[in-house]
Amino acid sequence: MSFSMGFVMALLGAALSTILAGMGSAWGVGLAGQAAAGVVSEDPNQFAKVLILQLLPGTQGIYGLLVTFITLSKIGLLGGAAATDMSLATGLTIFAACLPIAIVGLVSAYHQGRTSVASIGIVAKKPDQFGKAMLFPAMVETYAILALLISILAVSNIAL
Amino acid sequence: MKDMDYIFAVARIRVLEKTLLSDSDISQMIALKDEKAVLSFLTDKGWGESGSAAPSAEELLACEEEKNRALMREMKIDPRVFDILSYPQVFHNLKAAIKEICTSESVPGIFYDLERLGGKEMMDILREKEYAALPEYMREAAAQAYEVMLSTRDGQRCDIIVDRACLEAMRTSAKKLKEPMISTYVESQVAVADIRVAVRSVRTGKSLNFLKEALADCDAFTAAELAGAAARGEEALYAFLESHGFSEAVSALKDSPSAFERWCDNRLIETIRPQKMNSVSLGPVVAFYLARENEIKMARILLTAKANGFSEDAIRERVREMYV
């Protein structure tokens, strides 16, 4: 079974969506998790609030996974009819379409993690300000969602 | 350790900051009737060992100091940081040991109880003149101060030699550590200590040579500049301080000696206050440690004042700003 370079590039784009966005999420959730553990070690009552803040940077990994599924479906790998003879131009186009969520997912998840750490600090000192504290990391999410939309639109509209 | 390695510790500190005494707590304590009421207030705030019978003021404060140190040990903070912060205690033990040996007078409780270089160890080293057993940063000062005390019995000169060595050691070690918060704090501490010495020297008519021997350099000014200004008199010193960003110190000095002492402590708290907005570095952890030390000091002032029947106004004049 032979694969065209175009098919390999499309597959690489799909893989990067999950790898980079997932790395970012793991990083962000890890940072926020350390802060959450610090708060819970002194005030276990805040567990639910800090858990929500910890999970916020985890969405980028899910977005990356979603784009990977759409891409794999697009190139026929999930349906059993893989477009293994895809042209290099088409493969590179799919690769490029995957980059927004891959790169923005990585960067935004890291920064969302740091913002979550700061917000967990707010909850630690003023638990009643949880609503406001959650808004700060949620703002970072905007850019991950924009990147997700662009990747989905681009991958979906590429003609094989 | 990198800044991001302190995320857990800083989050823990954020919760603990809620337990620090606030300015309104201090106001409440000032309004209390006597020392017993202040002790009861502090016990209600969680000070002392839970479940223990009514502790004395000294027991309560010693317990809180130990809790503060234990917390820092738990946080696994770089030991070099707390080495720097403990220099004043180590150098105090040096001064106390020199005086105890030279005067042959034993004063109970004069030494800080330290794991290394406590009273007995320090006295043994000095008696044997084994200066090599001391940390490098204090060897020269120890030898010099000991010789001065032995030959002249001048306790004040002995003090200034040791105090200056302490400030210089803190500054050198802080620079090596490369932690911005520690450097800023130490610089502030050296500047405040220098100003305190300069003010006292001017008011007691000390010579330029005395000032040069007592003052240490800092980023805000050089020791020679401050010594020169102080040697020219009080007005020249005030003008110097105002031109170097210490106009609040001058206002406090013109107000009263206790207002100046309050400014000195408040200045250090102002230096660490930005750490309340920092969420990922060593700074907030060290700031909490210093804030706890400040509130223990404040509690000691209040308890002593209440025990000696000071008026509310007299106590209020001595009240320091709190971190939270």
Side-chain angles (χ1 to χ4, degrees), chain A residues 10-156:
Chain A
L11 208 54
L12 186 62
L16 282 180
S17 294
T18 294
I19 292 169
L20 294 183
M23 278 170 62
S25 279
W27 204 351
V29 172
L31 293 176
Q34 290 176 52
V39 172
V40 173
S41 70
E42 292 293 338
D43 186 0
N45 292 333
Q46 304 309 326
F47 173 72
K49 287 175 183 169
V50 295
L51 182 68
I52 292 169
L53 289 167
Q54 186 200 353
L55 290 179
L56 284 175
T59 51
Q60 283 83 345
I62 299 168
Y63 299 160
L65 182 73
L66 182 63
V67 169
T68 300
F69 272 126
I70 293 169
T71 308
L72 293 179
S73 174
K74 182 79 182 177
I75 63 178
L77 207 64
L78 293 181
T84 52
D85 57 348
M86 186 185 295
S87 71
L88 181 59
T90 307
L92 282 173
T93 311
I94 292 174
F95 177 81
C98 291
L99 288 183
I101 191 57
I103 295 170
V104 178
L106 172 70
V107 176
S108 69
Y110 171 69
H111 285 286
Q112 196 171 26
R114 288 194 63 150
T115 317
S116 284
V117 168
S119 289
I120 286 169
I122 297 177
V123 172
K125 284 187 91 166
K126 296 186 168 136
D128 56 321
Q129 299 298 316
F130 172 67
K132 288 175 191 164
M134 206 174 76
L135 282 176
F136 300 122
M139 290 291 113
V140 187
E141 189 79 14
T142 310
Y143 304 96
I145 293 171
L146 295 179
L148 170 70
L149 285 175
I150 293 303
S151 285
I152 290 176
L153 284 173
V155 171
S156 304

Side-chain angles (χ1 to χ4, degrees), chain B residues 117-279:
Chain B
L117 298 174
K120 188 181 176 307
E121 188 182 353
M122 193 69 88
M123 287 183 63
D124 290 344
I125 290 169
L126 290 174
R127 277 199 192 101
E128 301 300 323
K129 295 195 175 181
E130 285 179 354
Y131 299 119
L134 294 170
E136 201 181 334
Y137 56 76
M138 73 187 326
R139 283 176 201 161
E140 196 184 323
Q144 193 189 349
Y146 192 43
E147 289 309 316
V148 163
M149 193 64 191
L150 277 177
S151 57
T152 67
R153 303 273 160 178
D154 185 345
Q156 193 175 40
R157 196 159 163 239
C158 167
D159 284 352
I160 62 168
I161 292 167
V162 175
D163 288 343
R164 177 182 166 165
C166 175
L167 295 175
E168 285 175 345
M170 286 180 81
R171 201 162 172 252
T172 308
S173 300
K175 281 191 190 299
K176 275 188 201 157
L177 195 62
K178 291 182 180 159
E179 282 284 352
M181 186 264 166
I182 301 291
S183 297
T184 310
Y185 177 76
V186 167
E187 281 300 330
S188 192
Q189 199 173 24
V190 175
V192 166
D194 275 349
I195 293 171
R196 200 180 253 143
V197 171
V199 167
R200 285 177 188 165
S201 301
V202 164
R203 290 183 173 173
T204 52
K206 296 290 179 193
S207 68
L208 180 61
N209 284 340
F210 176 91
L211 282 156
K212 281 181 178 169
E213 196 168 20
L215 300 175
D217 285 334
C218 65
D219 284 353
F221 45 73
T222 65
E225 285 171 352
L226 181 63
R232 288 195 297 277
E234 201 158 331
E235 285 308 315
L237 176 63
Y238 289 174
F240 177 85
L241 292 177
E242 277 174 343
S243 66
H244 284 76
F246 297 99
S247 47
E248 285 179 10
V250 177
S251 305
L253 279 165
K254 287 177 179 170
D255 192 2
S256 69
S258 58
F260 173 66
E261 288 302 319
R262 194 177 59 215
W263 172 84
C264 292
D265 288 343
N266 288 351
R267 174 94 183 183
L268 296 177
I269 288 296
E270 285 301 323
T271 309
I272 62 172
R273 193 161 277 145
Q275 298 306 321
K276 284 203 292 186
M277 268 73 81
N278 189 351
S279 49

